[in-house]
Amino acid sequence: MSLRLPFLLALLFLLGPAAGAWGDLGTLASGPSPSSFPTYDFGSSFTSGSGPSSVSQSFSNFTGSKDDSGTCQCSVILPDTTFPVERVERLEYTANILSEKFKTELSKVKEYVHLISVYEEKLINLTVRVEIMEKDTISYTELDFELIKIEVKEMQKLIIRLKESFVGSSEIVDQLEVEIRNLTLVVEKLETLDKNNVLAIRREIVALKTRLKECEASKESVPATVPPPAPGSCSHGGVVNISRPAIVQLNWRGFSYKYGAWGRDYSPENPEKGLYWVAPLNTDGKLLEYYRLYNTLEDLLLYTYAQQYQIAYGQGSGTAVYKNNMYVNWYNTRNIAKVNLTTNKVAVTRTLPDAAYNNRFSYANVNWQDIDLAVDENGLWVIYATEASTGNMVISKLNETSLVVLNTWHTKQYKPSVSNAFMVCGVLYATRTVNTKTEEIFYYYDTNTGKEGTLDITMHKMQEKVQSINYHPFDQKLFVYNDGYLLNYDVFFK
């Protein structure tokens, strides 16, 4: 860089006594010509005065000259060891960034240490609880089962007293007695199979206790009624009411299988020995591919001793079982198939004349149920619609052996406005949706007389949609498939 004389003077001043080596400074101001201006080597050592000591300075070479006006000028090349200000600034900036990152990571480490200490305390507490349970000779679940047994015994005593003092029909009390007996069996089986599954049983006990109290409170106000007709008999004036639903359980395939049907096989020759069957559709709500059979209701409740079968041709929720044969709508056709439950083989298939199919006239809110098969005291029926009936419900009586149509009745009720239907003693009963928790049996058609009319019978439900209703003549119950849940209802007659 170029420096003027003042800078040189300051530099010489800093050199102190060594300045004498430069001669008279006045000579620098008015000294020799540029050609004779000396060249000094600051890279070598120089001495001040004539004494034995010397002062050493290390600078690069520089030269001087005088311009036209007589001003002395010089050029100095500073050494490479000049202080690196820019590098220091970059280093300081990088250090600040690293410091902030370190603080952030340090806070995370502190947080992790806190979480580890919390989980360590939880683990210690859990270990202590497990050790206590391992040392205890009687588990909590065993105590729970003992309490449940005591409660069930108390209910059994109460139901006995209730039967002795009940005025009028004891049908409801009998039903409660059966349910308590079934509950006893379930408790005994659960105690041996699964000692941790007591919550569902407790809920059922609470519900039964509530119903017992209601019966006991109203036993004196119930008027005497006509006893119910014999099982499988039609000596009555038709359906007059149904009970609230008894929730059996969720279907065996799970909550996602909302469409399907279930019921109990009915055979007039052996009405008490019918198998229970459950036939959930695939999640598409159309294909019936698997079904299960159970010898008893207890087996169904506990998912034990089930016989599972596979078919690949069932369609819709209109399945019915009669005399050890399952009747289904054949996939994508108007045909009906008869499946032997012993061999799981198709015995007969036959076309249902003029029947609409594949969602042409299905029930409201339920797809693929254009053809709905039903069983009652008189045998096998099919409920459907045709193009000629413009969607109104048609009822046909079938020969259960050959599936030939024996007789047909045409109604004035539009099928897609009906949520579902069932047959009792040759009378069609149709339901419709009132709200998400209630259905209504609102219409009937009597094939015995050809009369039709309206009804107003409330039907409570657990879920929003009813996929199928099957009637069992001997049990006098409705088996309802309700969004995957298996419900049943007692039927009351005039």
Side-chain angles (χ1 to χ4, degrees):
M1 63 179 66
S2 296
L3 298 176
R4 293 187 179 275
L5 182 61
F7 176 77
L8 181 60
L9 292 176
L11 186 62
L12 293 175
F13 176 78
L14 290 174
L15 294 175
W22 298 90
D24 189 2
L25 293 177
T27 305
L28 291 174
S30 61
S33 63
S35 60
S36 62
F37 198 86
T39 298
Y40 296 97
D41 183 4
F42 281 86
S44 60
S45 298
F46 61 89
T47 59
S48 172
S50 59
S53 63
S54 64
V55 178
S56 176
Q57 297 291 337
S58 178
F59 286 91
S60 298
N61 295 338
F62 69 92
T63 59
S65 63
K66 186 169 65 175
D67 59 12
D68 296 338
S69 62
T71 303
C72 181
Q73 294 180 345
C74 65
S75 296
V76 178
I77 299 174
L78 294 179
D80 292 337
T81 56
T82 304
F83 188 76
V85 177
E86 292 183 357
R87 293 182 183 178
V88 172
E89 288 178 350
R90 286 197 300 270
L91 181 62
E92 184 178 8
Y93 176 73
T94 304
N96 288 334
I97 293 176
L98 290 175
S99 177
E100 292 298 325
K101 289 183 178 180
F102 177 76
K103 290 179 181 179
T104 302
E105 296 300 325
L106 182 62
S107 64
K108 290 182 180 179
V109 170
K110 291 180 180 179
E111 183 180 354
Y112 293 153
V113 171
H114 175 69
L115 289 175
I116 289 173
S117 62
V118 171
Y119 288 127
E120 186 177 11
E121 291 179 3
K122 290 183 178 180
L123 184 59
I124 293 173
N125 293 335
L126 182 60
T127 304
V128 172
R129 289 170 60 190
V130 171
E131 289 176 353
I132 293 174
M133 292 180 68
E134 288 177 344
K135 293 177 183 178
D136 199 354
T137 57
I138 302 176
S139 69
Y140 295 108
T141 53
E142 288 173 350
L143 293 174
D144 286 338
F145 273 110
E146 290 301 322
L147 293 174
I148 289 174
K149 287 180 181 179
I150 293 172
E151 292 177 358
V152 171
K153 288 180 180 178
E154 290 177 355
M155 287 194 293
Q156 286 175 333
K157 294 178 181 179
L158 179 59
I159 202 69
I160 292 172
R161 293 199 306 269
L162 195 59
K163 287 185 70 176
E164 293 174 352
S165 60
F166 202 85
V167 179
S169 174
S170 62
E171 182 177 353
I172 298 177
V173 180
D174 292 337
Q175 179 191 349
L176 287 173
E177 184 179 19
V178 172
E179 292 185 15
I180 292 172
R181 192 183 307 117
N182 291 338
L183 182 61
T184 305
L185 296 174
V186 172
V187 171
E188 291 176 353
K189 288 192 176 183
L190 280 178
E191 190 174 16
T192 59
L193 295 175
D194 183 4
K195 297 203 170 187
N196 294 318
N197 189 13
V198 296
L199 184 59
I201 303 300
R202 284 195 173 278
R203 291 173 179 168
E204 192 170 348
I205 286 176
V206 172
L208 286 174
K209 278 186 173 182
T210 302
R211 293 174 63 185
L212 278 171
K213 289 180 180 179
E214 291 175 354
C215 285
E216 189 173 19
S218 61
K219 65 182 180 180
E220 295 182 358
S221 61
V222 176
T225 58
V226 177
S233 169
C234 290
S235 58
H236 54 75
V239 177
V240 68
N241 204 355
I242 60 172
S243 68
R244 296 185 72 88
I247 302 168
V248 177
Q249 64 180 186
L250 185 66
N251 78 88
W252 58 273
R253 297 189 73 180
F255 185 74
S256 299
Y257 296 85
K258 294 180 176 293
Y259 293 84
W262 85 293
R264 188 182 180 195
D265 179 22
Y266 175 64
S267 175
E269 292 77 16
N270 296 294
E272 299 180 357
K273 297 182 179 180
L275 296 170
Y276 289 87
W277 57 274
V278 183
L281 304 185
N282 285 359
T283 52
D284 61 1
K286 181 178 181 181
L287 178 62
L288 171 57
E289 189 174 7
Y290 297 96
Y291 67 91
R292 279 187 178 182
L293 304 177
Y294 302 88
N295 289 321
T296 65
L297 183 60
E298 287 74 22
D299 291 342
L300 188 152
L301 288 170
L302 298 174
Y303 300 105
T304 57
Y305 307 111
Q307 306 168 55
Q308 182 170 317
Y309 298 96
Q310 181 179 11
I311 58 177
Y313 42 78
Q315 175 172 301
S317 303
T319 306
V321 175
Y322 184 58
K323 293 185 178 182
N324 199 48
N325 291 289
M326 177 178 284
Y327 297 88
V328 300
N329 176 205
W330 194 282
Y331 196 80
N332 279 344
T333 71
R334 58 168 59 91
N335 296 345
I336 298 173
K338 174 183 177 182
V339 184
N340 187 296
L341 293 182
T342 303
T343 63
N344 192 40
K345 292 183 179 180
V346 177
V348 180
T349 60
R350 187 172 294 276
T351 300
L352 182 60
D354 302 324
Y357 64 99
N358 274 359
N359 265 349
R360 181 67 178 100
F361 295 115
S362 187
Y363 289 129
N365 304 321
V366 182
N367 294 329
W368 314 109
Q369 203 170 342
D370 302 76
I371 297 176
D372 185 17
L373 293 139
V375 172
D376 72 354
E377 293 83 353
N378 298 329
L380 181 64
W381 303 80
V382 60
I383 305 163
Y384 59 105
T386 66
E387 297 294 341
S389 73
T390 62
N392 287 346
M393 301 177 80
V394 178
I395 309 165
S396 289
K397 182 74 170 64
L398 299 179
N399 181 297
E400 69 269 11
T401 303
S402 63
L403 300 182
V404 172
V405 174
L406 302 177
N407 205 347
T408 298
W409 295 263
H410 293 81
T411 75
K412 297 178 182 178
Q413 178 60 47
Y414 188 56
K415 188 171 182 286
S417 67
V418 172
S419 60
N420 228 282
F422 59 95
M423 299 291 298
V424 177
C425 289
V427 180
L428 168 75
Y429 293 91
T431 63
R432 64 183 173 189
T433 301
V434 177
N435 53 50
T436 57
K437 293 297 181 181
T438 309
E439 295 279 309
E440 180 188 44
I441 301 175
F442 76 102
Y443 172 82
Y444 74 92
Y445 184 95
D446 191 345
T447 62
N448 302 297
T449 63
K451 293 182 180 180
E452 58 187 330
T454 59
L455 296 169
D456 184 13
I457 301 175
T458 300
M459 180 179 180
H460 298 281
K461 56 186 176 179
M462 182 178 178
Q463 299 292 326
E464 182 178 358
K465 297 177 182 179
V466 171
Q467 281 75 23
S468 68
I469 303 175
N470 283 286
Y471 171 69
H472 193 275
F474 186 82
D475 293 344
Q476 294 178 343
K477 290 180 179 291
L478 299 179
F479 292 80
V480 176
Y481 197 99
N482 179 203
D483 275 343
Y485 286 89
L486 313 182
L487 315 181
N488 62 31
Y489 301 74
D490 291 317
V491 180
F492 304 113
F493 302 100
K494 290 182 183 178

